Amino acid sequence: MDTIDLLPDATDMGPVMLKTAKLARLVHWYTAGVGLEHIAERPGVVELGVGGRTILVLEEAPDLRGPNPADAGLFHTAILYPTHAALAAAVVRMTQIPGIQFAGTGDHHVSEAFYFADPDGNGVELYVDRPRDQWRWEGGKVYMTTEFIDPNRFVSEHLDRGSFGQSATAPIDAKVGHVHLQVGDVATARDFYVGALGFAETASLGSTALFVSAGGYHHHMAMNVWNSRGAGRRADTLGLGRVEIRVPDADALGSARERLASAGVAVADDGQSLRFEDPWANVITLTPSLAG
């Protein structure tokens, strides 16, 4: 793919929408632990975020069933914190939630991450990036690995104990850093997310996982088959409702529309955003970034 066909460098992730049968429980988890604040509320829907910017949209759907672990869908939503101190504070808040589901840690060379599951079983990664000049690129691919992080040592080294507890909310520049999906096979994911949508491939793990991004980020999205190899189109279930990707402007949106159409992807265009499905019926929306 020529670089002119890629998503613009300024492409970023927007809010993730989750469907839940127990809205109040999930709202409490993401506010008390992750540190998000209420942005907006309407019947059956709560928007959470920071600094007036929505990061998660939680929608009550009491009649839906939960997803099968082998279904396509969400692997995790990754919240990017601006500093090690902010991430350390979030890790401490998480430990204060009764019954917290801690799923491990990972020093990925490009980032440092802590993994959890929310009360609905949705995967959540809380992470901080290392400076880009410390990332290592080899043949156009970024080097990523997974090594253990001692949570106690991380908190001891990075927690700002003087400011911890003064505010329940995360710093205003925390955001969705990336979204990791479960899919049926990596080759089809590559055809869609790279060939049709226009991300660049940044890393892969053979036929088991793919990492893609815009603008030289380590990854804005990832797809794996670790639990879901061979999965078909997913049903409408609890869990992932929608992934939003932000492009810089209307011109970028128009270019994406043309790429998707030429690849035979059915796109709903309301004049302000594009809505379409990947091969596993994961819903994706493309919108221009909000001014300011």
Side-chain angles (χ1 to χ4, degrees), residues 253-279:
L253 196 69
S255 296
R257 184 192 306 110
E258 293 178 5
R259 281 196 304 274
L260 291 163
S262 66
V265 177
V267 176
D269 183 352
D270 64 5
Q272 298 180 324
S273 64
L274 307 180
R275 182 184 177 99
F276 49 93
E277 295 181 349
D278 77 2

Side-chain angles (χ1 to χ4, degrees), residues 8-24:
D9 288 355
T11 299
D12 208 352
M13 302 307 294
V16 172
M17 193 266 272
L18 301 175
K19 298 181 181 181
T20 179
K22 297 182 178 180
L23 182 60

Side-chain angles (χ1 to χ4, degrees), residues 75-76 101-106 108 113-117 124-126 178:
F75 189 67
H76 62 238
Q101 298 182 60
F102 178 57
T105 68
H108 300 306
F114 295 81
Y115 296 91
F116 303 86
V124 179
E125 175 184 344
L126 307 181
H178 64 267

